[in-house]
Amino acid sequence: MSVAIPFIAFLLAGGFAAYHRLRLAVWAAMTVTMLVACWLLGANVAATLIAAFMVAIIAVPLLLPQIRRPYITAPLLKFYRRILPPLSQTERIALESGSVGFEGELFSGKPDWNALLSQPRAVLAAEEQAFLDGPCEELCRMINDWEITHVHADLTPELWDFVKRNKFFGLIIPKEYGGLGFSALAHHKVIQKISSISTVVSTTVGVPNSLGPGELLMHYGTQEQKDYYLPRLADGREVPCFALTGPFAGSDATSIPDYGIVCQGEWNGARVVGVRLTFDKRYITLAPVATIIGLAFRMYDPDGLIGDVKDIGITLALLPRDTDGVEIGRRHFPLNSPFQNGPVRGDDVFIPLSQLIGGEDFAGQGWAMLNECLSVGRSITLPSTASGGAKMGAVVSGAYARIRKQFGLSIGRFERVEEALARVAGTADAISALAQATAMAVDRGEKPAVPSAIAKYHCTTMGRELVSDVMDVHGGKGIILGPNNYLGRSWQASPIGITVEGANIMTRSLLIFGQGAILCHPWVLKEMRAAQNPDAQAGLEDFDRNLFGHMGFAISNAVRSFWYGLTAAKIGKAPGDDYTQRFYRKLDRYSANLALMADTSMLLLGGKLKFKESLSGRLGDVLSQLYIASAMLKRYQDEGCPEGDQPLLAWAFHDGVHKMELALSGALRNFPIRPVGWVLWALIFPWGRRAQAPSDRLGHRAASLLMTPCDARERMSDGVFLTPCANNPAGRIDSYLPKVILADPVERKFLKALKNSDIETLDFVSQLDEGVKEGWITNEERAQLEELRAITLDAISVDDFDVHQLRAASYYDQQRPNAAREAA
């Protein structure tokens, strides 16, 4: 036994140092001290000397830079440069356009939770809250989504006038240019509220405040462009669109075939140097009504009129709608969601260089400009739209499930319905936390490239899953379109968010992990830059520092993964209260797992990892779930750790942990180098995969919150339009919930007495008459039951139509003359 003791001490010291990320010199000193203690306590001398020799072999060359750099680092740098996958200019720009926030901590294997919890709380300014309570509330009251989607296929003139007059198109434009100058949080709240009643209107408001001329001009426009266009965009005199996607360039936006040739031409009666454009764009939101078109194209200067570079690169320009050669095509019709969308084409369109966004100085910088702005715009519009729909779907489904009865029971009491309600509750909680977190990242001045991809992908994907459950709960109520239907259009439109701003099927692997693995990793980007440093000595020194920092980082994450796996993450320091500390420890574990898997994958697969989309997609899922769970815990902390929210937090958290383990399991079982996968499995899952989906008991608690008036339900409904009015059947149903609950015992008492009586009448009014006569209920209780019947009927009612009401108006108008002739 005395022979093994020095080696056990060696391993324990190494494990302790790696877990706590102590410096190499500290590890060496600590190990030597332990070996001396072993010798003094009678351990085998030969074994002690062998262990000490192992320490020396590791420590001496690594601690002495004059040995380490020429004999270890330099050969490794040479090998690294050989295997380093080449970065295209497009990829380089994408990496340099984003910033790193707390998501970088999640790649560290040891997140600094204080950095998250110390971030400012989500609080609106007084004027922002007043706008939500005033113009935004009024706009929602004006919206009749059935008329928009079925009758007009557009906003009514009154709605167009209202959104322009109240500067809904100028939410993000600074006040000095006539805009509202709102924060990203306020922008998120406005879109969230509008989308809870109409995604057509929220899209119409969201696009001018997202990626497009307004945001691009604010960041890159010349002073002359800002002074002219921003006030006109803010008050709606100009309606913008941005034309990027074309028939041959969708997700691969850098391959756009649209081009512009630098030449001389006529503009406003003068001969000037400009660009002659040819382009063909489609799927362009607001294009049919746009007065100013933002355009992405590839710019060429074959005659050298503005410089020596022939292929200048992707460039952005502003085209007034009435520019000669510009053709606004007919409308697209995206899944019965008639927001303005259509193609834009141009042939032989001449514009001066002054119409380039930012002027001639920004020619060729369009891809960088788009990436920087897209990371901001993508953080808000689609996540906020999903959040508004999810929160509305959750609270109204809970109310409907309590009101609607079958077999004498509220349908929410049936376990299968309860399962769906639990998923809706937990998913809505996660979506809303994620959408708010990315908006707050923008307000902190970040350019959240990776979080925006996470938010866009997961909010829209979870939103599509949620609306499926909501439809299942509502049954026939959800599928019959008409003024009483508040779900059908959301169901139809759910794939739209999946597709736009980067198709989700690509976003998951290429952006979330592909970009995150380099941008968020604490060492990889530094190593790449060091390897490409033209100063050989400086590059060697930088690479040396980062390489050995990376090695220690990787060893630490292997040790931490194994330790957390052995202990099921039940031991360790963590922030939070008694309820949430276990959640933080679990996230520490999966953060270490992610870092270990990412390092191993990049080391062994190198450039091939780019093409292992299933692997990178699964690792992206782990990063995403870590970020979503962090957002939920941050919001829970900021709201004062409300006990009533614990079932929602727990359901969403356990669902996320289960998904993380499924993703890790899938990545390990399918790892391209099988023996490596087996070793990693032993480190990450020493006892096997243990996480389970949320339990039925937890699901029952989460579902019950949606069907019962309580503080947690109030927080879920915060920020959506629930005012009960003629054009908001969902709001009416939500308002009925307290009355239904109060009437429940009266109804049970009445039905029990009726069942035990000899009364044979089936007429409800006659039954109530008999109930009062027999003394089963009082007159006040009778009125209560009559109101219950009325509100139940309103909640479950669906629409029907005459044939002519369902025909397209254009078709019907064409047929009427024929019908008149036949009648004659």
Side-chain angles (χ1 to χ4, degrees):
M1 183 64 181
S2 62
V3 174
I5 289 176
F7 299 106
I8 294 173
F10 176 86
L11 292 174
L12 288 175
F16 182 86
Y19 181 90
H20 291 284
R21 299 188 175 173
L22 304 179
R23 297 178 64 85
L24 181 63
V26 175
W27 165 77
M30 183 172 62
T31 307
V32 169
T33 301
M34 292 180 67
L35 291 176
V36 170
C38 290
W39 174 66
L40 292 175
L41 293 172
N44 183 277
V45 175
T48 304
L49 290 174
I50 292 172
F53 181 69
M54 292 167 61
V55 174
I57 287 177
I58 297 171
V60 172
L62 295 183
L63 287 172
L64 299 176
Q66 59 268 37
I67 298 176
R68 183 181 69 241
R69 285 176 185 164
Y71 298 108
I72 300 176
T73 305
L76 289 175
L77 176 57
K78 184 177 180 181
F79 173 75
Y80 183 82
R81 283 173 173 157
R82 190 166 63 248
I83 67 169
L84 181 65
L87 280 181
S88 67
Q89 183 67 10
T90 298
E91 292 171 317
R92 191 183 307 278
I93 289 173
L95 288 173
E96 293 173 352
S97 299
S99 61
V100 180
F102 185 74
E103 67 276 9
E105 292 290 332
L106 300 175
F107 247 105
S108 72
K110 189 181 178 182
D112 180 2
W113 296 111
N114 290 326
L116 173 71
L117 298 178
S118 63
Q119 291 172 355
R121 294 179 61 233
V123 179
L124 292 173
E127 62 177 334
E128 295 171 338
Q129 187 63 56
F131 185 85
L132 275 173
D133 296 338
C136 194
E137 174 76 12
E138 187 176 352
L139 173 63
C140 290
R141 286 177 178 270
M142 294 172 64
I143 292 170
N144 185 317
D145 199 50
W146 174 249
E147 289 189 358
I148 290 172
T149 58
H150 182 74
V151 179
H152 304 292
D154 190 11
L155 277 64
T156 62
E158 293 78 15
L159 285 174
W160 276 110
D161 178 68
F162 187 87
V163 297
K164 292 177 180 180
R165 185 161 31 89
N166 287 277
K167 301 186 177 182
F168 279 86
F169 290 170
L171 296 176
I172 65 172
I173 294 176
K175 293 179 180 178
E176 57 264 35
Y177 294 105
L180 296 175
F182 282 175
S183 64
L185 177 65
H187 181 188
H188 154 70
K189 294 288 188 181
V190 169
I191 299 301
Q192 177 180 260
K193 184 166 186 173
I194 300 172
S195 68
S196 67
I197 187 168
S198 174
T199 57
V200 176
V201 181
S202 68
T203 301
T204 303
V205 170
V207 167
N209 292 288
S210 183
L211 176 64
E215 188 173 6
L216 290 165
L217 286 168
M218 285 163 49
H219 287 87
Y220 310 108
T222 65
Q223 193 59 51
E224 183 180 2
Q225 290 170 342
K226 292 178 181 179
D227 290 340
Y228 179 77
Y229 283 111
L230 290 180
R232 298 172 66 84
L233 289 168
D235 62 19
R237 282 176 289 167
E238 300 280 8
V239 176
C241 72
F242 190 81
L244 175 62
T245 302
F248 297 100
S251 295
D252 183 14
T254 58
S255 297
I256 53 177
D258 313 285
Y259 62 90
I261 306 297
V262 179
C263 62
Q264 291 190 339
E266 296 291 329
W267 184 264
N268 292 336
R271 190 160 182 82
V272 297
V273 176
V275 184
R276 196 165 297 280
L277 298 161
T278 299
F279 56 90
D280 183 6
K281 305 289 190 178
R282 65 178 182 179
Y283 308 150
I284 311 305
T285 299
L286 294 187
V289 295
T291 61
I292 186 72
I293 302 161
L295 179 72
F297 64 96
R298 195 164 197 93
M299 185 171 171
Y300 298 92
D301 184 15
D303 298 327
L305 294 180
I306 61 174
D308 298 329
V309 179
K310 305 299 182 185
D311 183 355
I312 295 174
I314 294 178
T315 303
L316 310 181
L318 293 173
L319 280 67
R321 182 189 183 97
D322 58 3
T323 304
D324 288 343
V326 171
E327 176 193 350
I328 304 293
R330 300 192 302 172
R331 288 179 61 180
H332 296 316
F333 192 30
L335 291 176
N336 273 346
S337 184
F339 57 89
Q340 294 284 343
N341 186 278
V344 180
R345 304 178 185 93
D347 185 28
D348 198 31
V349 178
F350 180 81
I351 59 170
L353 295 180
S354 61
Q355 290 299 118
L356 302 183
I357 296 179
E360 186 180 337
D361 292 342
F362 280 88
Q365 298 185 40
W367 184 237
M369 296 159 68
L370 288 173
N371 270 277
E372 289 186 3
C373 289
L374 184 59
S375 67
V376 174
R378 190 166 50 194
S379 297
I380 298 175
T381 305
L382 288 173
S384 302
T385 299
S387 179
K391 287 163 73 75
M392 172 65 84
V395 294
V396 177
S397 293
Y400 183 83
R402 185 68 180 262
I403 295 169
R404 178 63 164 156
K405 292 185 176 180
Q406 293 287 278
F407 307 105
L409 287 175
S410 295
I411 61 171
R413 301 303 183 194
F414 293 94
E415 287 192 352
R416 291 295 291 165
V417 175
E418 190 176 75
E419 286 179 18
L421 283 174
R423 288 194 298 269
V424 168
T427 303
D429 196 58
I431 291 174
S432 59
L434 177 55
Q436 180 173 289
T438 50
M440 290 300 296
V442 174
D443 275 336
R444 292 193 297 272
E446 297 176 19
K447 295 175 181 175
V450 176
S452 68
I454 291 172
K456 188 271 174 181
Y457 174 85
H458 286 279
C459 284
T460 56
T461 298
M462 290 191 292
R464 180 166 63 174
E465 295 166 352
L466 180 143
V467 74
S468 179
D469 278 325
V470 170
M471 289 289 284
D472 284 350
V473 171
H474 281 75
K477 172 72 175 179
I479 65 173
I480 303 300
L481 290 175
N484 281 303
N485 187 302
Y486 43 86
L487 295 177
R489 297 307 190 197
S490 296
W491 163 265
Q492 290 177 316
S494 61
I496 297 174
I498 302 292
T499 305
V500 300
E501 292 189 9
N504 280 11
I505 202 167
M506 305 290 285
T507 298
R508 176 172 173 253
S509 55
L510 297 184
L511 291 182
I512 296 177
F513 183 76
Q515 194 171 9
I518 298 175
L519 191 61
C520 300
H521 195 288
W523 299 106
V524 168
L525 191 56
K526 296 176 183 176
E527 290 170 332
M528 294 173 65
R529 287 172 175 162
Q532 296 168 346
N533 192 332
D535 185 331
Q537 185 59 35
L540 177 63
E541 292 176 1
D542 288 345
F543 187 77
D544 176 76
R545 179 173 55 256
N546 293 313
L547 173 66
F548 288 98
H550 193 166
M551 286 182 177
F553 172 82
I555 294 169
S556 173
N557 285 318
V559 171
R560 292 175 69 85
S561 290
F562 186 63
W563 173 253
Y564 281 130
L566 283 177
T567 62
K570 293 184 181 296
I571 301 173
K573 184 180 179 181
D577 56 21
D578 291 340
Y579 185 76
T580 58
Q581 283 181 347
R582 58 196 172 117
F583 295 161
Y584 287 105
R585 282 194 290 267
K586 285 183 179 292
L587 296 186
D588 281 339
R589 174 186 180 180
Y590 298 117
S591 173
N593 295 164
L594 172 64
L596 175 62
M597 284 290 297
D599 275 335
T600 305
S601 300
M602 287 187 285
L603 174 66
L604 298 180
L605 300 178
K608 294 179 181 178
L609 181 58
K610 186 187 299 186
F611 305 102
K612 299 293 184 182
E613 294 178 25
S614 294
L615 174 60
S616 59
R618 288 174 175 127
L619 296 181
D621 290 343
V622 179
L623 174 60
S624 297
Q625 294 301 330
L626 284 168
Y627 190 82
I628 294 169
S630 302
M632 293 189 298
L633 288 168
K634 165 65 174 168
R635 186 181 62 180
Y636 176 78
Q637 179 81 15
D638 287 348
E639 293 181 346
C641 305
E643 185 177 348
D645 283 5
Q646 288 177 0
L648 299 177
L649 174 64
W651 194 99
F653 185 88
H654 288 301
D655 181 62
V657 166
H658 184 235
K659 290 175 179 175
M660 277 190 273
E661 289 211 356
L662 285 176
L664 286 168
S665 172
L668 291 168
R669 293 181 186 278
N670 294 280
F671 199 79
I673 306 172
R674 297 302 304 127
V676 174
W678 300 334
V679 173
L680 289 172
W681 184 280
L683 290 173
I684 292 173
F685 296 127
W687 305 117
R689 190 168 61 80
R690 311 290 292 178
Q692 300 295 321
S695 67
D696 292 347
R697 181 178 179 184
L698 181 57
H700 170 76
R701 293 173 62 201
S704 296
L705 291 178
L706 296 185
M707 295 188 290
T708 308
C710 58
D711 290 342
R713 193 175 187 279
E714 283 296 312
R715 282 185 287 272
M716 177 67 76
S717 65
D718 181 56
V720 298
F721 181 64
L722 285 170
T723 303
C725 52
N727 65 324
N728 190 16
R732 297 199 305 272
I733 290 174
D734 179 71
S735 71
Y736 296 154
L737 181 60
K739 295 178 180 179
V740 169
I741 291 174
L742 286 175
D744 261 357
V746 178
E747 184 184 37
R748 287 197 301 270
K749 177 179 68 172
F750 173 72
L751 291 177
K752 182 178 180 180
L754 183 64
K755 182 179 179 181
N756 294 328
S757 72
D758 296 328
I759 297 174
E760 297 181 357
T761 180
L762 298 178
D763 177 67
F764 180 66
V765 174
S766 299
Q767 290 175 345
L768 291 179
D769 290 339
E770 290 295 329
V772 173
K773 179 180 177 181
E774 297 292 333
W776 305 336
I777 54 173
T778 65
N779 284 318
E780 291 78 10
E781 290 173 331
R782 176 201 173 112
Q784 202 172 3
L785 291 177
E786 288 176 330
E787 183 182 34
L788 176 62
R789 174 59 65 98
I791 61 181
T792 300
L793 185 61
D794 185 37
I796 66 176
S797 290
V798 297
D799 300 284
D800 49 63
F801 303 90
D802 291 328
V803 173
H804 74 272
Q805 292 178 292
L806 297 178
R807 287 180 180 150
S810 58
Y811 172 83
Y812 188 59
D813 290 341
Q814 292 169 6
Q815 296 303 309
R816 278 188 294 185
N818 296 332
R821 283 195 298 269
E822 291 173 4

